[in-house]
Amino acid sequence: MLLNALRKLGGVLYRLLSVFIFLAVWELAARFQVVNPVFLPPFSEVAATLWKLIRTGVLLDHLLISLQRSLLGFGLGLAFAIPLGLLIGWYRGFERFIDPLIQTFRNLSVLSLLPVFVIFFGIGETSKVAVIFWGVLWAVLLNTIAGVKNIDLSLIKAARSMGISNYGLFTQVILPGALPTIFTGVRLSATSSILVLIAAEMLGANSGLGYALYFYQSNIKYPEMYAIIIVLAVIGVAVNYSLAAFEKRTFRYREELPETGSV
Amino acid sequence: MTVGEAKIIVKDVNRRYRIKQRSKEGGEPFLALQDVSFTVNAGEFLTIVGPSGCGKSTMLDLIAGLAVPTSGKLYLDGRPIEKPALDRGFVMQGYALFPWRTVRANVEFGLQIKKVPRKERREIAERYLRLVNLTGFADRYPYELSGGMKQRVAIARALACDPEVLLMDEPFAALDAQTRETLQDELLRIWEETKKTIVFVTHSIDEAVALADRIVVMTSGPGRVREIVEVPLPRPRRVANIKATPDFMRIRYRVWELLQGEVQEAREVGRLHAELPEEAKERPGEALSPIAAG
């Protein structure tokens, strides 16, 4: 039992080893002035600054406003993209009609549209939310379409053979069948939407993590700048891991190989 | 319901498909079924056997109401078949279980459509899982089951709504030989217990003979009924035992001959065609018809 726990702990430590080495190299490179410590302060100093930002509540303020923008844009994006994707995926003719437009828009960088959003919505909250909305929209839309299109036709046939109504077919077969693929789109766009938000906040905002990042950089407060970058990295990892864990738990039936021995 | 009454009547059914235009000569309609007529008696085990492309699966889709004939009529209990309903259960080769539903929830699917209350649904599911020997697997997901078990679930799901007719489209084709034989025996047992009418499509002559009361032998291009063969083998049967009897061999050979004859005939038509003068080849119908020739 104890041996097992130790082995497990060893496994976790091994998984984190590369990160520790990276931080150590960072610390030493700054301490021994391999790089200019003004541009890259040692990790310990950045960590202390980060703690200060947490303690004073400065970080929390920026974090909350960024999260609020993210969630709002994200929610709106999903509310729009999923129903539309289900519709497009189901009506093949409509898909052929709309697909070129979708392909064009999805390959258009969100940031290139930022000036347009600023014209329409100003530099307030709306333009930030709009950027997130746009960033989330296409990945989720395309995954939803793919999810509907790739549903096993024999499942539809089985349901139809039982005389299911169109509404029933949609709620009992199409939606649950497409859900795993839809969720993959959600997970992929979640991390990218945070990246997009940071860029948007850097370009025009007076609050939020992106704004803080830009503010500290232009005021030569480099330890604070690095502290924000660390926070962003942690958020990215946390969001991705928790969504992946949720995905694995919710859609465990997708696993190809049985966990328990089958007869 | 007495055995022997006509349950399903298939009358002069034609089914034409328009093939999608791939090559230049494409776009021509393809005749999947031509003038197909047969009757399935109540409580009968009828198998349909034929080579791939003979339209036997199409036939089953028509009875299920999943497709409509180009011409001709189908009746169930004297009423025309128009759309799918729970009076016919459908079992497919690929199991078609909903992967996000547990075994129990899969079996309950049709009952949910029927709006059977939850408690009752559970009891019925339990009963049919017992019938297919899957008690204790109710909370598993399909991915945790072997192919044979999945097909048992599919059978339980089809039976749970208590259909009068069970339509089976090559249900055991993807299983290994041993599992297949076990399931054949179980299907015979279930059939005898439940007194359902079964229409069973297969491309295996052995399977068709071992299970059936009568066999509809179909031939391809276009799909037609070649002959309907009676199978007067004793019941109840065990597949392994019945296969060793001389009667089984005789019927099996007869069906084989019928299917083989189709190939033979196609060759003969080809030879005849080759001997015709050039101009007649372009209008073979006219050349063969004395009226047109005159």
Side-chain angles (χ1 to χ4, degrees), chain B residues 181-198:
Chain B
E181 208 168 273
T182 313
L183 276 174
Q184 287 168 346
D185 277 331
E186 291 212 14
L187 180 63
L188 286 176
R189 172 182 61 81
I190 290 166
W191 172 66
E192 263 152 37
E193 274 179 40
T194 57
K195 309 265 188 273
K196 305 287 179 199
T197 306
I198 298 184

Side-chain angles (χ1 to χ4, degrees), chain B residues 150-166:
Chain B
K150 283 182 195 168
Q151 199 53 288
R152 286 163 198 258
V153 178
I155 292 170
R157 178 176 67 185
L159 288 172
C161 293
D162 199 22
E164 290 160 36
V165 179
L166 200 53

Side-chain angles (χ1 to χ4, degrees), chain B residues 247-259:
Chain B
D247 281 340
F248 176 88
M249 310 261 200
R250 186 178 50 74
I251 299 164
R252 184 184 180 285
Y253 184 75
R254 173 82 191 117
V255 174
W256 179 81
E257 243 183 352
L258 286 167
L259 291 169

Side-chain angles (χ1 to χ4, degrees), chain A residues 95 98-108 138 141-142 145:
Chain A
E95 196 228 337
I98 201 92
D99 188 58
L101 190 66
I102 295 175
Q103 294 301 338
T104 311
F105 274 134
R106 116 181 142 120
N107 286 305
L108 192 60
W138 305 107
L141 186 63
L142 285 163
I145 295 171

